[in-house]
Amino acid sequence: MNRKFSARLARLESHVGTAPDLTREAAEHGDLIWSSFGSRAYGQNTPDGARLAVVGPAGTTVYEVVGVALGDLS
């Protein structure tokens, strides 16, 4: 998908109210690591290890890995 189309789609989603609330998602799940059309991955280090959340049309899946840092997962 090209950038021009992506920008138009984002404006349309925002206009009709279907755009995801990225600010809320980031506050809930951590820093944005990756995104594509309709899906996003967020990650954060926790006291016990790393937490990775994948948010998409089907919902949110959270992975927690004990004993490692987020940087160790890449």
Side-chain angles (χ1 to χ4, degrees):
M1 183 177 327
N2 65 38
R3 289 182 185 178
K4 189 174 185 179
F5 180 72
S6 294
R8 286 182 181 175
L9 181 59
R11 284 194 305 272
L12 177 63
E13 287 176 336
S14 179
H15 180 69
V16 297
T18 60
D21 184 353
L22 300 179
T23 303
R24 182 193 54 79
E25 286 181 0
E28 183 177 342
H29 301 299
D31 295 328
L32 181 65
I33 297 174
W34 171 86
S35 69
S36 72
F37 181 73
S39 299
R40 291 154 310 282
Y42 297 90
Q44 62 184 342
N45 289 312
T46 66
D48 296 327
R51 183 173 189 262
L52 180 69
V54 180
V55 180
T60 302
T61 304
V62 177
Y63 302 93
E64 294 192 26
V65 183
V66 177
V68 300
L70 188 60
D72 296 336
L73 299 176
S74 59

